[in-house]
Amino acid sequence: MPVPVPATLLSFIREGTDFIVTGHREPDGDCAGSQLALASLLRRMGKTALACSAGPFKRSEIKSLEKHFAPYPEKRDGLRLIVMDCSARERVGDLPLDGMPTAVVDHHVPGNSWGDIRYLDPEAPSVTFMVLRIFEELGMEPSAEEAELLLFGLCTDTGFFRHLEAGMTEAFRAAAVLSAAGASPKKTYAAINGKKTLNSRLLMGAILAKTRPFYGGRLLLSGETLEETRQFGLESRDSDTIYQLLLSIEGAEAVALIRQENPEECTIGFRSQDRIDVAAIARDFGGGGHKNASGAKVPGTISELEEQVVRAFSPWFRP
Ligand SMILES: [Mn+2]
């Protein structure tokens, strides 16, 4: 059963008049969708609400939403902050509003200890699912535009329902409600999966071509060099599709992708099938995330980190 929306959050919303709705930096569809839908709901309730983000809006599927985000305003009395899809203060990036009354709505593990009020549901398929529950608790029905934003996040975080197990009926109930409110799965699919550039496919080809198997093919490792980022462009990254393609290989249980972000630092992305907890592995590298999807930012070069990354998986592949 979903975690009930805390009464404290509902009063925080009902009693406030001026809201800033923010989320993690480098927003994804769930973050952007939940922010914009909640801000829209607050405005329909007669409040002021600005959606703000530290950006950058790198993902092609949310580029068209960037125009709905405003710069952060100055701190002022009465302003309330609601933070979406964000497990820690650092993940918000630049935020000139520290100290304002803050509510956090999130579905990451482990438990979030940030904010004055917390609505945390680690089982929620997306934060937009949690926002739909807020709508329902406030007795509000999503408009067609809001429903579209909410379905967008639900489909982003569930990989269009591919990541759900049997019995996760709440996600489908939400999808039914949103579809009835005017959201189109067809349009959502095109928004998430269409509009790719040739460079993004070429970069993917380069990364796939370098993929190496470890532990008999149970771990697949690849990377992206600074040279490749320069050649194809940062905006050509399409991590979700790469992980999806690599995890579709027979016997693959986990994927690690090491990207050289600058001469001193890499980001490592981890994905896994059910069994392997890559959130725990990412934490060992100072990062975090979900059990089957996580990441970390680590000093070093790709060649320096490869061996550490492979070794981090050894407990999972012991005979
Ligand atoms: Mn999310």
Side-chain angles (χ1 to χ4, degrees):
M1 283 304 285
V3 172
V5 183
T8 47
L9 177 64
L10 297 172
S11 345
F12 185 83
I13 290 173
R14 283 197 190 102
E15 288 157 20
T17 52
D18 294 306
F19 289 89
I20 301 301
V21 185
T22 187
H24 59 77
R25 59 186 306 282
E26 288 185 35
D28 58 12
D30 186 35
C31 187
S34 56
Q35 282 183 247
L36 293 175
L38 183 63
S40 168
L41 167 73
L42 295 169
R43 287 193 292 266
R44 282 209 285 133
M45 293 172 74
K47 303 164 189 304
T48 77
L50 274 184
C52 302
S53 173
F57 287 72
K58 287 205 260 182
R59 295 161 171 264
S60 59
E61 75 274 19
I62 59 159
K63 279 244 166 357
S64 64
L65 297 179
E66 183 171 5
K67 60 177 180 288
H68 302 297
F69 286 81
Y72 284 107
E74 304 265 295
K75 255 178 157 176
R76 64 172 187 271
D77 282 348
L79 207 53
R80 295 185 171 198
L81 185 65
I82 306 183
V83 188
M84 317 303 286
D85 201 25
C86 196
S87 55
R89 163 67 189 89
E90 311 82 78
R91 293 200 62 221
V92 180
D94 286 337
L95 172 69
L97 298 171
D98 276 321
M100 295 278 106
T102 300
V104 173
V105 180
D106 185 37
H107 66 147
H108 292 85
V109 281
N112 198 320
S113 57
W114 178 40
D116 308 301
I117 289 166
R118 289 186 282 275
Y119 170 27
L120 306 177
D121 184 354
E123 307 273 297
S126 68
V127 171
T128 57
F129 169 87
M130 300 171 75
V131 173
L132 177 61
R133 309 240 317 140
I134 296 172
F135 270 77
E136 290 171 337
E137 288 300 322
L138 292 169
M140 301 287 285
E141 265 176 38
S143 66
E145 292 74 27
E146 290 160 353
E148 220 163 79
L149 291 163
L150 295 174
L151 185 67
F152 187 67
L154 182 63
C155 291
T156 298
D157 272 26
T158 60
F160 245 92
F161 307 103
R162 279 175 300 125
H163 308 323
L164 299 175
E165 302 284 359
M168 291 183 163
T169 54
E170 281 291 320
F172 294 99
R173 184 195 67 80
V177 169
L178 296 173
S179 160
S184 152
K186 183 176 171 181
K187 223 168 127 186
T188 305
Y189 189 86
I192 294 177
N193 296 294
K195 297 188 207 131
K196 309 289 190 200
T197 60
L198 177 59
N199 264 348
S200 78
R201 305 301 94 171
L202 295 175
L203 173 59
M204 191 175 300
I207 292 171
L208 291 175
K210 286 187 294 183
T211 304
R212 284 177 297 150
F214 293 88
Y215 305 104
R218 299 164 81 188
L219 170 67
L220 298 171
L221 178 70
S222 192
E224 181 182 322
T225 62
L226 278 179
E227 182 44 42
E228 285 162 337
T229 312
R230 260 194 296 272
Q231 188 183 348
F232 297 111
L234 207 53
E235 67 289 348
S236 296
R237 289 184 174 177
D238 183 3
S239 317
D240 297 342
T241 311
I242 295 177
Y243 293 125
Q244 193 187 319
L245 287 171
L246 290 174
L247 283 175
S248 71
I249 294 168
E250 186 172 22
E253 292 182 52
V255 169
L257 195 58
I258 311 176
R259 287 182 161 124
Q260 194 75 50
E261 300 291 350
N262 58 56
E264 287 84 40
E265 252 181 341
C266 288
T267 52
I268 316 177
F270 299 101
R271 294 294 182 280
S272 64
Q273 314 278 20
D274 337 320
R275 189 180 70 98
I276 298 174
D277 182 359
V278 289
I281 291 176
R283 280 199 294 278
D284 289 342
F285 286 95
H290 302 275
K291 185 186 174 203
N292 298 126
S294 67
K297 196 166 207 168
V298 186
T301 63
I302 294 177
S303 55
E304 287 164 0
L305 293 170
E306 275 172 345
E307 203 197 314
Q308 286 181 51
V309 168
V310 172
R311 217 180 320 122
F313 280 88
S314 73
W316 292 94
F317 295 129
R318 254 186 224 127

